[in-house]
Structure formats: C-alpha cells, structure tokens
Amino acid sequence: MHTVFNPAATMFGSTEWYEREGDVDDVAFPSGLVLDDKTGLLKIYYGGADSCIAMATASLGDLLEYIRKCPEPKNEALC
C-alpha cells in the first residue's frame, strides 16, 4: 500500500465534553460517513469517549483541499 496524502495535523480529535469524558476519556473515532452528492457535504458519524454517538459535517471539497496541501510524509511506516 502506498500513502498518497498524509495530513500532518490531526483532522479529527476530541474537543467537546462528551468526547472527553466517558468510558474511555479523550477518544473520538469515526465510524461511518454519508456524502450528499448534490451539496458535497459529508456527514461523519463517530463515537465519543466510548459512550455516545455523534455527527460532524465537513465540505468534501474543503477536506480534500486541506489534505492535498499537507506536506509529504517523512516516514511511510507511520501511516
């Protein structure tokens, strides 16, 4: 497998109280997404602190632009 883009910064992390306090503190993990083809809006479903399910939204275009602007990975073993 070859890494095409590797964002240097965290794109998804725990910031809200329901992501930071629960069965496993400070954990937010994506579990699925839905893309609205007409608007380009992603709905990202994720678990927070192993105790709730939440949804975040992002523009697919903005997300791809961010990823493409990230520097090349220095060590593919880290991907």
Side-chain angles (χ1 to χ4, degrees):
M1 178 165 32
H2 175 73
T3 302
V4 178
F5 296 103
N6 182 21
T10 301
M11 293 175 46
F12 200 90
S14 51
T15 57
E16 300 295 332
W17 69 268
Y18 52 85
E19 301 162 343
R20 299 183 53 84
E21 300 173 15
D23 293 339
V24 180
D25 293 344
D26 297 321
V27 175
F29 52 95
S31 56
L33 63 88
V34 175
L35 172 62
D36 182 326
D37 290 328
K38 291 181 181 178
T39 65
L41 186 69
L42 284 173
K43 292 181 181 178
I44 306 165
Y45 295 90
Y46 68 97
D50 252 6
S51 48
C52 71
I53 299 171
M55 182 190 72
T57 59
S59 157
L60 178 60
D62 290 348
L63 185 61
L64 291 173
E65 181 180 342
Y66 170 79
I67 292 170
R68 289 181 181 129
K69 288 182 177 180
C70 289
E72 291 285 327
K74 293 181 182 178
N75 183 351
E76 283 204 32
L78 297 176
C79 300

